[in-house]
Amino acid sequence: MFNLRDWGAGVWERSGRPVRVLIALGAIAAAASLPLLGGTFLNTPIADYGSVLVFPVAIFVIMALGLNIVIGKSGLLDLGYVAFFAIGAYTMGILGTKTGLNSWEILPIGIAMAMFAGLILGVPALRLRGDYLAIITLGFGEIVRITALNLNSIGGANGIVGIPTPPTIFGLEYTFDNHRLYFWTFLIIILLTIWMIRRLSVRRAGRAWESIRQDEDAAELMGVPTFRYKIWAFVLGASVGGAAGVLYASKTLFISPDNFTLQVSILILACVVFGGMGNIWGVVLGAIILGYLPDRIRFISDARLLVFGAVLVLMMNLRPDGLLPRKKREKALPEKGQS
Amino acid sequence: MSESILKLQNATMQFGGVVALNDVSFEIKKQEILGLIGPNGAGKTTVFNVITGVYQVTKGDITFEGKSLKGRKRYKITRGGVARTFQNIRLWGDMTALENVITATDTHKRSGLISGLFGLPISRREEKRDKARAQELLDFIGIGEYADRLAKNLPYGVQRRLEIARALGTEPKLLLLDEPAAGFNPAEKVELAKTIRKIRDAGYTVLLIEHDMSLVMGVSDRVVVIDFGQKIADDLPAKVQNDKRVIEAYLGVPEDAS
């Protein structure tokens, strides 16, 4: 069967540096021009097209990339990923309304808070494996939401309103409905995240995660400090989730515990699995499709979730490894090889 | 005789009421090939597991280069110089042969996640050095041409050899081989015996578990025999072969003699 992932990787591998730069720039340009295509077939019928591109699409892409470090790279099933998103968003909400800090100053703080939460959760939880880890993280996600729900000092069920927009930079104004500017800003964050993951994947950290995912005991016995690398995966995943949270809050300007339900964790997990666990481009594609599709087919109103579910079931049957599966190919065997 | 590198002192391993190892003591000398044999279920792999920290001995002690291994983390034991292969092959199937070995060489990298992220010179240098080292090890074991193939797609015999190359990637002083010849045909066994000697001659010490008697007796400098968790012989191969208790352990006791 035709494998788009291997075909793409083949093109990439055969081309020299200038062609690669060209491909990368082309892809970035294509992504950046998405908000300009509102008048075409892509337009979403009810929700504003530009707005859909920012949330859910761009935010989903960021979160799926982060969760992919945890699930796709290291094989740790995290069902409470929304917690880090919530922590980032609440950091933005609280600091944005109560202090004079602006979004760009809060972004690193939000990331740090999420990483710290990842560490606190990871140290006890990562001693467990598989199903047990999934249950603990599931609980953690709910604890964060319920805490936010019951803490009246941070708005309780009413959430936080009046979160400030990011300040104007280079004469670009982040007004509420300037969706294109938000999208381009988020695109930069997405590119940075992709750069980070790609860098790590081909070096020591990537190999350590890969070995842990495939056989954790063997990894440990081959001298890989598995616990430390699992913590790193968790913390890095959390940092990306936290960044997504800060950006989300400074776009929607209003957050409440309802935005951070278990459903979000599951949906992001679906993006990762649907797109192709462990493959950055698959995950990006999965998040774009799953973020965008429900709004594109909104004209069939209530039936859209049914269609959405049917698409998921069908796709997972046809392509169980996701749209763009992880690396499976290998370089050709040299001719001198014996059997 | 040269000094010992690893010592088991009255090692006892109990799983509840089952005594897998009972008061086993032996030592391995530097640059020696020590064969460890015994009937099925005698406790050979348990010996490997207590040495590498998979299990903690219930009683007794294990020292490596004079230091106790008790309570030490598994990956630290490996980093300290003890590497093993697995009886049932446990390679990372979705990685290439070369990547499998490089992952093991990471044990000695000083660069970590941060320097890797920013591509610092130390990370680049170490990546380059270890890639070359990994290829060297594959060539040394004789499977260099398979470097770029996924481990799971390799022929069985190559996988077994890759296990050895991967263990060598951690730069061990002591190499534990758990039935490296399982499933090999006679020609491959001869080839493996050569490889094991080559490994020893390169300066490693080898502890070998193997069922194939001709291989063990041919390649080992000394043989330790265990049965029902107890050591019953520890001598030169030729002497062990004629030891009455060893013959009894393998062939059983004649009825009228008991």
Side-chain angles (χ1 to χ4, degrees):
Chain A
M1 194 167 133
F2 175 70
N3 185 331
L4 187 64
R5 197 247 172 239
D6 286 0
W7 177 80
V11 169
W12 181 257
E13 229 148 60
R14 277 193 301 276
S15 41
R17 197 177 174 86
V19 183
R20 286 188 186 185
V21 172
L22 225 60
I23 295 175
L25 287 178
I28 293 170
S33 61
L34 276 179
L36 310 174
L37 302 173
T40 66
F41 166 77
L42 291 173
N43 201 12
T44 46
I46 291 165
D48 180 77
Y49 173 69
S51 160
V52 167
L53 278 185
V54 178
F55 183 84
V57 175
I59 292 285
F60 272 24
V61 169
I62 299 177
M63 287 176 74
L65 281 169
L67 186 61
N68 183 47
I69 303 176
V70 184
I71 293 185
K73 296 280 176 202
S74 331
L76 307 166
L77 186 51
D78 180 353
L79 292 182
Y81 192 64
V82 71
F84 306 121
F85 182 56
I87 287 166
Y90 265 90
T91 307
M92 177 66 214
I94 295 164
L95 293 182
T97 50
K98 298 203 171 148
T99 69
L101 295 173
N102 69 42
S103 298
W104 310 129
E105 289 157 354
I106 295 171
L107 185 61
I109 302 174
I111 291 174
M113 293 292 286
M115 286 172 95
F116 183 62
L119 189 69
I120 291 181
L121 171 64
V123 168
L126 289 175
R127 294 177 197 283
L128 303 173
R129 291 186 191 177
D131 307 349
Y132 304 99
L133 177 66
I135 298 294
I136 283 217
T137 51
L138 181 87
F140 181 72
E142 284 297 279
I143 287 169
V144 168
R145 182 180 67 83
I146 292 167
T147 305
L149 192 63
N150 289 299
L151 266 185
N152 287 326
S153 57
I154 55 168
N158 296 324
I160 299 175
V161 288
I163 301 167
T165 54
T168 304
I169 42 170
F170 308 126
L172 300 167
E173 266 185 83
Y174 285 90
T175 52
F176 176 71
D177 52 0
N178 193 353
H179 301 302
R180 286 177 189 175
L181 183 55
Y182 275 103
F183 179 79
W184 287 325
T185 311
F186 289 10
L187 184 61
I188 292 171
I189 304 284
I190 291 172
L191 292 173
L192 275 174
T193 311
I194 291 177
W195 171 79
M196 173 180 91
I197 299 172
R198 279 183 64 95
R199 250 307 169 57
L200 290 175
S201 297
V202 297
R203 298 267 164 112
R204 183 179 175 191
R207 286 190 297 267
W209 290 334
E210 186 69 21
S211 68
I212 290 168
R213 184 180 66 78
Q214 293 184 32
D215 189 336
E216 189 173 337
D217 289 317
E220 175 96 19
L221 285 166
M222 286 302 134
V224 178
T226 52
F227 187 64
R228 193 188 311 161
Y229 274 101
K230 287 198 297 186
I231 295 276
W232 265 117
F234 228 64
V235 167
L236 283 176
S239 75
V240 177
V246 172
L247 296 173
Y248 172 72
S250 52
K251 169 67 173 70
T252 60
L253 313 185
F254 160 72
I255 52 169
S256 81
D258 289 345
N259 302 128
F260 309 106
T261 54
L262 173 65
Q263 204 196 340
V264 179
S265 291
I266 303 292
L267 207 53
I268 301 300
L269 176 63
C271 294
V272 173
V273 176
F274 180 76
M277 262 197 269
N279 180 355
I280 298 178
W281 309 116
V283 166
V284 170
L285 192 64
I288 292 174
I289 292 175
L290 295 198
Y292 171 77
L293 192 64
D295 276 307
R296 181 67 185 84
I297 58 174
R298 204 177 269 261
F299 56 87
I300 50 175
S301 74
D302 287 346
R304 77 197 159 94
L305 285 180
L306 189 70
V307 174
F308 184 72
V311 168
L312 276 184
V313 171
L314 194 70
M315 270 306 301
M316 290 331 287
N317 269 299
L318 291 175
R319 304 205 64 142
D321 291 331
L323 292 173
L324 303 177
R326 75 168 83 240
K327 180 175 107 174
K328 281 233 175 80
R329 82 224 135 78
E330 51 190 27
K331 288 178 196 157
L333 184 66
E335 288 306 308
K336 59 177 176 167
Q338 59 193 33
S339 68
Chain B
M1 203 70 194
S2 61
E3 54 185 313
S4 77
I5 184 165
L6 183 98
K7 250 188 203 160
L8 265 76
Q9 290 159 340
N10 311 101
T12 300
M13 183 71 229
Q14 276 180 292
F15 299 99
V18 180
V19 185
L21 290 181
N22 190 0
D23 211 20
V24 174
S25 304
F26 65 86
E27 57 177 36
I28 307 170
K29 297 192 166 61
K30 266 192 183 140
Q31 287 223 29
E32 179 181 43
I33 300 177
L34 179 68
L36 180 62
I37 62 170
N40 283 324
K44 302 182 297 291
T45 298
T46 307
V47 170
F48 272 27
N49 282 337
V50 295
I51 294 174
T52 52
V54 176
Y55 304 138
Q56 296 293 328
V57 282
T58 333
K59 265 183 267 167
D61 198 6
I62 298 162
T63 55
F64 178 69
E65 294 186 315
K67 279 180 233 141
S68 175
L69 292 181
K70 259 167 89 174
R72 218 192 285 185
K73 290 211 170 75
R74 290 178 292 172
Y75 76 90
K76 285 193 173 152
I77 293 177
T78 308
R79 289 168 162 219
V82 182
R84 69 175 290 174
T85 65
F86 298 92
Q87 188 177 348
N88 42 346
I89 298 172
R90 291 181 79 168
L91 294 164
W92 299 302
D94 283 336
M95 288 195 211
T96 65
L98 191 69
E99 282 169 341
N100 266 278
V101 185
I102 298 179
T103 307
T105 64
D106 286 343
T107 306
H108 292 285
K109 277 193 176 63
R110 285 190 296 127
S111 64
L113 201 112
I114 305 294
S115 50
L117 178 59
F118 295 104
L120 298 184
I122 177 172
S123 168
R124 287 164 185 270
R125 215 166 38 232
E126 286 186 335
E127 286 289 324
K128 213 174 150 194
R129 182 196 70 196
D130 285 351
K131 197 173 172 195
R133 175 66 181 150
Q135 183 64 49
E136 197 180 298
L137 283 169
L138 288 177
D139 292 336
F140 177 73
I141 295 296
I143 52 172
E145 72 255 39
Y146 298 98
D148 289 329
R149 291 190 51 188
L150 291 186
K152 65 177 175 197
N153 296 343
L154 293 172
Y156 176 80
V158 179
Q159 291 193 358
R160 281 244 171 257
R161 284 161 168 271
L162 180 54
E163 279 244 329
I164 301 178
R166 182 177 68 171
L168 290 177
T170 67
E171 306 294 346
K173 292 163 191 153
L174 173 65
L175 178 65
L176 310 178
L177 299 177
D178 200 345
E179 296 198 27
F184 275 19
N185 64 36
E188 287 173 317
K189 281 177 185 165
V190 172
E191 203 51 42
L192 182 73
K194 275 189 205 156
T195 308
I196 294 174
R197 279 197 209 98
K198 203 165 116 185
I199 290 169
R200 190 265 308 272
D201 294 342
Y204 301 95
T205 308
V206 179
L207 175 57
L208 170 71
I209 291 182
E210 189 46 67
H211 271 303
D212 186 84
M213 283 306 145
S214 62
L215 178 69
V216 182
M217 296 303 171
V219 82
S220 307
D221 300 313
R222 201 156 53 89
V223 175
V224 169
V225 190
I226 52 176
D227 187 27
F228 291 112
Q230 279 177 312
K231 187 171 94 166
I232 57 171
D234 180 354
D235 216 327
L236 299 173
K239 292 199 178 156
V240 165
Q241 275 171 305
N242 298 316
D243 188 292
K244 190 164 157 268
R245 287 179 68 192
V246 176
I247 295 168
E248 277 173 9
Y250 272 90
L251 300 177
V253 186
E255 231 163 83
D256 52 331
S258 58

